[in-house]
Amino acid sequence: MSLLYFFFFFFFKQKTAYEMLRSLVGSEMCIRDRWCQAPPPAEPQFGEYPLEDVAAAPFTYAGAQLNACNFPIGGFGAGNVILRGDGTLQGWTVVNQVRADDGGPGDAPLPMDDMPANFFAVRATPEGGAKQEFVLATPQSYSSANAALPEEREAHVSGHAIQRLQELPGIKGLTVTGTYPIATMSYDIPGFPVIVSLEASSPLIPHDPKNSALPCAIFNFAIHNPGTAAVTVDLLESQMNFVGWDGQTDCTSATTFPFWGGNVNTPFQTAALSGIEFSNGKVATDAEAFGTLAVAAINQPGVKVSVIASAASEQAIWDAFTASAATPFPTPPCPASPTGSSSAGAVQQSVTVPAGGSATVSFLLAWHFPNRGRNSSVGGNYDQILPARLGNMYNNWFEDATQVTAYVAANMQNLMGLTRSYTATVFGS
């Protein structure tokens, strides 16, 4: 057992030291709790946690505790994205912006906190009943005090996140159970005809460095229908095509940026997967911003997969979702975006859950940005020691993000089975 703990501590510390946002770096908390850092008592803008907000289950956070919930998802050395306490994906560190220092001379700026058009959504339509539709995000942690916090603070809420739930319907609340590398979210949606939960993770398997270093996130949605009528459930993952992004600029601050233009969303379908690959043909192949993203559904019997290939904004994604405008595969690529702009795309899965029945649908998110540079990784003090291009370990295994999704889909049972076993061993000891 001591060797198991050593493995967990060693590799988690490596990820913390070189990849995680500053909100996670330097914490001396228990490893199991480090993704949900308690606010310092000297800073009342976080608020105190009422007794009723303290969840009974171990490692479970709700209510005001969600203010400081930052759960990293991504393989060791591969970059990560943060699953926040409001249910959204933020803090993207996947485009080789490794360093996130404290603002001193030569330090790199902190990664941007938010990204437009990235969200999950759900619709439920009971047989013979009216549909209900929501963005799977909650404003529980949103307050003027948290919005006023500096961007690098754990409880910071972006203005864009607040605006999203002013314009689109969010949910009442959620709880997060964090047993790294698995986060489980239970959604509180009063009057909703089905119960929905999310298992979010990236594989972590002792003695298996490759499968613990995959540039991917896995999202397994579990649906249960406790009612007496069948319910058709649609789940959607929306993703901004941010290929070309410099890794720092706030892409919610405007609608056009010099690093965008030439962005293409390409739907693809294989026997195992249906998804979208995001690319940018105008980025030089040796640039650090060069690469691909992919969002995909794992095909399974009884689940219909469709796609919103291109939309100009998250409002446009939402409008297409609520209008049931997603198109079936095959769908052609969207035209390359004009200079200065990009677009979002979304993958949608639809399944009919019988009365008393359950279903699971899975989404894969993958990234592949091969040109990690020396200066962005370690600064300019190693120019006589290291080459200008360091690259990423995952370059040895995959040529693009679509290959990552294919590998994960082909090995899903093994990857998640061993990851769950490892997590149960550590947190059950």
Side-chain angles (χ1 to χ4, degrees):
M1 182 61 70
S2 61
L3 288 176
L4 183 62
Y5 274 105
F6 173 78
F7 177 89
F8 180 84
F9 179 79
F10 175 78
F11 278 98
F12 196 83
K13 288 296 285 184
Q14 294 303 304
K15 186 181 181 73
T16 298
Y18 297 109
E19 274 201 288
M20 290 184 184
L21 300 182
R22 194 175 73 176
S23 62
L24 298 173
V25 173
S27 171
E28 297 303 325
M29 298 167 56
C30 170
I31 289 174
R32 293 172 173 172
D33 290 331
R34 67 188 309 127
W35 45 80
C36 203
Q37 183 172 324
E43 300 194 23
Q45 63 263 38
F46 282 88
E48 295 185 4
Y49 297 160
L51 183 61
E52 59 267 24
D53 285 338
V54 180
F59 319 116
T60 297
Y61 304 89
Q65 294 172 328
L66 297 174
N67 289 346
C69 190
N70 297 277
F71 195 98
I73 305 174
F76 293 123
N80 60 49
V81 60
I82 302 297
L83 181 63
R84 296 293 299 272
D86 65 353
T88 64
L89 298 176
Q90 300 183 26
W92 296 79
T93 55
V94 302
V95 295
N96 300 311
Q97 75 279 43
V98 178
R99 299 172 65 220
D101 302 319
D102 61 5
D107 285 350
L110 286 159
M112 186 273 300
D113 186 64
D114 203 355
M115 182 66 69
N118 284 9
F119 60 86
F120 297 105
V122 65
R123 173 170 58 238
T125 310
E127 188 175 39
K131 67 179 181 179
Q132 297 184 52
E133 302 161 317
F134 299 96
V135 173
L136 289 174
T138 176
Q140 276 184 301
S141 62
Y142 296 0
S143 68
S144 57
N146 287 344
L149 288 172
E151 190 172 300
E152 66 269 19
R153 291 303 308 273
E154 295 83 0
H156 168 76
V157 176
S158 72
H160 167 253
I162 295 172
Q163 182 181 357
R164 175 191 288 136
L165 294 188
Q166 291 173 337
E167 298 174 348
L168 307 180
I171 60 175
K172 178 183 178 182
L174 56 82
T175 59
V176 181
T177 300
T179 51
Y180 187 84
I182 297 174
T184 303
M185 279 193 168
S186 299
Y187 301 106
D188 182 5
I189 316 176
F192 206 55
V194 294
I195 299 168
V196 182
S197 62
L198 166 66
E199 177 194 61
S201 182
S202 50
L204 173 55
I205 303 168
H207 308 296
D208 190 343
K210 174 182 176 179
N211 286 324
S212 300
L214 300 175
C216 74
I218 299 170
F219 304 106
N220 295 314
F221 284 92
I223 309 159
H224 176 64
N225 177 7
T228 58
V231 179
T232 298
V233 179
D234 295 275
L235 280 157
L236 173 135
E237 181 176 357
S238 175
Q239 175 65 48
M240 186 71 190
N241 181 345
F242 58 70
V243 179
W245 175 47
D246 60 9
Q248 307 296 340
T249 300
D250 180 356
C251 296
T252 68
S253 63
T255 56
T256 60
F257 299 94
F259 42 72
W260 283 344
N263 295 73
V264 176
N265 305 346
T266 305
F268 67 91
Q269 187 172 50
T270 66
L273 293 167
S274 301
I276 306 175
E277 182 181 69
F278 302 92
S279 61
N280 186 329
K282 291 188 177 181
V283 178
T285 57
D286 60 351
E288 287 194 72
F290 172 78
T292 53
L293 294 162
V295 171
I298 296 181
N299 299 331
Q300 55 179 315
V303 179
K304 175 185 175 183
V305 185
S306 52
V307 64
I308 302 170
S310 178
S313 65
E314 62 189 18
Q315 181 67 57
I317 289 282
W318 177 254
D319 290 345
F321 178 60
T322 58
S324 299
T327 59
F329 289 86
T331 298
C334 71
S337 64
T339 299
S341 68
S342 187
S343 64
V347 176
Q348 180 176 326
Q349 300 191 63
S350 179
V351 60
T352 298
V353 186
S358 300
T360 300
V361 299
S362 299
F363 292 95
L364 304 179
L365 168 66
W367 53 90
H368 188 280
F369 293 88
N371 299 322
R372 178 181 293 197
R374 176 188 62 225
N375 289 344
S376 62
S377 295
V378 296
N381 298 323
Y382 295 86
D383 54 340
Q384 302 300 315
I385 302 173
L386 298 174
R389 181 186 182 276
L390 301 179
N392 288 300
M393 187 64 184
Y394 58 68
N395 300 355
N396 298 303
W397 311 320
F398 311 108
E399 294 183 358
D400 55 37
T402 304
Q403 284 194 4
V404 179
T405 61
Y407 176 84
V408 174
N411 296 279
M412 182 77 158
Q413 184 174 358
N414 182 60
L415 293 172
M416 286 309 302
L418 291 173
T419 298
R420 292 177 186 132
S421 178
Y422 167 70
T423 303
T425 300
V426 171
F427 287 87
S429 59

